[in-house]
Amino acid sequence: MSRTDAASDRARDVYDWVDSRLDVDDASDFLGKAFPAEDSFLLGEVALFCFVILVSTGTFLAFFYEPSTAPVEYAGSVVRYQGEEVPAAFKSVLNITYDVPFGMFLRRMHHWAAHLFVAAIALHMLRVFFTGAYRNPREPNWVVGTGLAGLAMFAAYTGYSLPYDEFASTAVGIGYNVASSIPVVGDPVASIVFGGQFPTSATIPRLFFLHVFLIPAAIAGLIAVHMAILLRQKHTEGQRDGDVAPASRETAESARPAQDAGPAGDGPAGAGSASDATGTADGGRPVLDRDDDSVVIGLPAFPNQTAVSAMVFFLTMAVLSLLAGFLPVHNIAAYGPNDPASTPSLIMPDWFLMWGYGFLKLTPSWLSFDVLGVHVSSEFVGGVLLPSLVFLAVVVWPFVDRAEEPEHFTRNYLDRPFPTAVGIVGVTLVMVASVAGMDVILAEILGTSTAVLRPYLTAALVLVPAAAGTVTYWTLGGFDDGSGGTGSGDAPGDTEGVADD
């Protein structure tokens, strides 16, 4: 027996041993589950890998971080603070950055992974929205995804606060004021999240607990739910124009029994299984009816998609490594420790929270009023109510643009004037609100004051999204037939529709 045969036999023995205990063969259907071969579908994987990197780098940072505001004497590498008493949290982040081997690099990677995590989730949701992939039966996963987006932003906020430098502590104070502005339950909520009336020694330990345990656990749970629903329902799939050869009606009908062997939505199928089920056209190209929603055309989960996912993971790592290597982050040595007696001249949150900050800035003070003895402040309207309404609109949208029958194929946004216009309204609203959040910089560029600028920004917050949505709706022909193109008509995968393209 050759060495190759002997190695093959040993490998077979190991496989049999594992299979006898874990029923690996029964997992073959799962391993063959198809993943649509479309690049935009990988955005969800980028978000998942960013979360893995966040947990890994965050674990490293937690070994050296001290969640305390107690004054301690600094004795690290930053000459400016040598011998000074600074908060312990501030000192520990300085040590991580300048004294712990690879500390600066991993802190930067953690920072950029948080940004990419939110960005990937946002782009993933935009892809799902504009292709109508949230429709029946995927409404639950859209709701779960929206929850993930909210938790990702809250995780970033709590992490941003931990260095307890002058910049971060000011942001914590703004968050406390917004939380305490909630009518009736504001004070208890602020007390739970911030550990009492800010500033207090309990704030940083409480935010640290939320950042490293509670929120990551909630995110991991929602990711698990998201994946479980995805595996149960199958992916959506784009039009098959370029993926399969046109099938004659006779070929499609003859193949139907094999494709329908499993119920729609349950049967895993890769490119190989689809080809086997329908036969091949001239040249060996798979033939499949274009409107057959019982299978997914794509790469089997193992080994093909696993190899692609591995590449995506390493590319994500490479991008974050480059960002961490060349782009500095939140320089706490320059900001200095928290000083309750002063406020930084320029306060701005990260880009993904800027739109909420813009709402807060543009809400006029006269919007404070009393209802049935309950005080409603402008901080609550701008900092809680308006952002909550945006999230609520996102959550309920699949139940507005709903479909009676389950849909398998994604839709072309050019064929859906009304949903696409609504999406453009949402995107421009967030963009204008984000610009409003940076009104200090904008006022400096224009050589004016924020007081002069804000009325124009308030008008823009209403007019620009409305104009953008109207132009989009008109451009896509929404006014032509009055149907609004909500997607309730012909599915993109309909054979006749594809043939017309």
Side-chain angles (χ1 to χ4, degrees):
M1 178 181 294
S2 66
R3 291 185 176 180
T4 303
D5 292 338
S8 177
D9 288 344
R10 282 195 293 272
R12 170 54 61 181
D13 291 341
V14 170
Y15 178 85
D16 291 341
W17 186 89
V18 175
D19 182 51
S20 65
R21 286 153 179 81
L22 301 178
D23 292 329
V24 176
D25 278 345
D26 288 346
S28 59
D29 286 347
F30 171 78
L31 296 178
K33 192 172 183 64
F35 190 98
E38 298 182 34
D39 295 341
S40 64
F41 280 56
L42 297 174
L43 286 167
E45 295 199 9
V46 173
L48 175 63
F49 296 146
C50 284
F51 180 67
V52 173
I53 294 169
L54 280 169
V55 172
S56 303
T57 54
T59 301
F60 174 87
L61 298 176
F63 283 129
F64 301 97
Y65 176 73
E66 187 172 353
S68 170
T69 58
V72 293
E73 183 176 331
Y74 179 74
S77 300
V78 182
V79 176
R80 176 181 174 183
Y81 301 109
Q82 285 283 355
E84 286 190 21
E85 281 198 344
V86 296
F90 181 81
K91 175 191 173 186
S92 65
V93 177
L94 282 181
N95 288 337
I96 290 171
T97 307
Y98 298 103
D99 295 305
V100 174
F102 302 105
M104 178 184 289
F105 177 79
L106 290 174
R107 180 175 167 237
R108 288 181 177 184
M109 179 172 279
H110 190 76
H111 173 95
W112 289 119
H115 284 251
L116 187 58
F117 182 48
V118 177
I121 290 176
L123 291 174
H124 183 57
M125 292 187 69
L126 287 175
R127 195 275 298 171
V128 171
F129 182 91
F130 283 107
T131 60
Y134 50 77
R135 290 159 68 88
N136 185 2
R138 298 177 179 81
E139 302 96 328
N141 236 1
W142 174 262
V143 175
V144 171
T146 307
L148 277 171
L151 284 174
M153 287 191 277
F154 193 41
Y157 171 77
T158 52
Y160 178 81
S161 309
L162 296 183
Y164 206 59
D165 60 279
E166 177 69 349
F167 203 99
S169 62
T170 305
V172 175
I174 294 173
Y176 172 80
N177 290 331
V178 170
S180 61
S181 70
I182 301 174
V184 183
V185 298
D187 288 337
V189 169
S191 180
I192 292 172
V193 176
F194 295 92
Q197 186 174 5
F198 182 79
T200 172
S201 60
T203 299
I204 292 301
R206 195 67 59 89
L207 293 178
F208 179 70
F209 172 74
L210 291 171
H211 182 70
V212 304
F213 179 73
L214 200 58
I215 299 176
I219 291 176
L222 286 186
I223 289 175
V225 173
H226 189 75
M227 297 298 293
I229 295 174
L230 179 65
L231 292 174
R232 177 60 181 164
Q233 294 181 338
K234 295 192 303 185
H235 276 88
T236 53
E237 186 179 352
Q239 296 184 33
R240 290 173 173 171
D241 299 20
D243 295 323
V244 296
S248 66
R249 178 61 62 186
E250 292 75 12
T251 303
E253 291 299 328
S254 64
R256 175 73 60 184
Q259 296 171 28
D260 288 345
D266 294 339
S273 60
S275 176
D276 293 343
T278 61
T280 56
D282 293 341
R285 193 178 183 190
V287 175
L288 184 68
D289 194 359
R290 283 171 172 159
D291 62 354
D292 186 344
D293 60 0
S294 64
V295 295
V296 174
I297 299 297
L299 301 176
F302 183 85
N304 305 57
Q305 185 57 39
T306 301
V308 173
S309 298
M311 287 295 296
V312 174
F313 175 76
F314 288 118
L315 285 174
T316 303
M317 284 282 291
V319 169
L320 292 176
S321 297
L322 285 173
L323 291 173
F326 292 102
L327 296 182
V329 299
H330 196 71
N331 187 358
I332 67 166
Y335 293 129
N338 172 49
D339 182 1
S342 68
T343 301
S345 57
L346 180 62
I347 289 294
M348 286 194 303
D350 288 325
W351 60 269
F352 44 82
L353 296 173
M354 194 70 74
W355 60 279
Y357 193 49
F359 282 148
L360 189 61
K361 281 190 168 185
L362 293 183
T363 304
S365 58
W366 53 263
L367 267 180
S368 296
F369 53 89
D370 294 332
V371 178
L372 301 175
V374 177
H375 182 65
V376 179
S377 67
S378 58
E379 287 82 5
F380 168 72
V381 174
V384 179
L385 182 60
L386 292 180
S388 298
L389 289 176
V390 171
F391 267 95
L392 180 63
V394 174
V395 168
V396 304
W397 178 251
F399 306 99
V400 176
D401 180 32
R402 60 191 177 88
E404 296 297 334
E405 299 296 328
E407 295 187 356
H408 173 77
F409 297 99
T410 58
R411 294 171 178 273
N412 189 336
Y413 60 90
L414 298 177
D415 298 332
R416 297 172 6 108
F418 183 67
T420 300
V422 170
I424 294 298
V425 168
V427 170
T428 51
L429 179 72
V430 169
M431 292 176 66
V432 174
S434 298
V435 171
M438 298 182 287
D439 63 347
V440 175
I441 297 177
L442 185 61
E444 184 176 344
I445 293 173
L446 298 177
T448 184
S449 66
T450 56
V452 172
L453 201 57
R454 282 177 186 172
Y456 294 99
L457 289 171
T458 302
L461 190 66
V462 177
L463 298 178
V464 172
T470 302
V471 170
T472 301
Y473 189 70
W474 172 74
T475 303
L476 298 182
F479 291 113
D480 293 345
D481 56 10
S483 66
T486 59
S488 57
D490 294 340
D494 286 352
T495 304
E496 292 183 0
V498 173
D500 291 338
D501 288 340

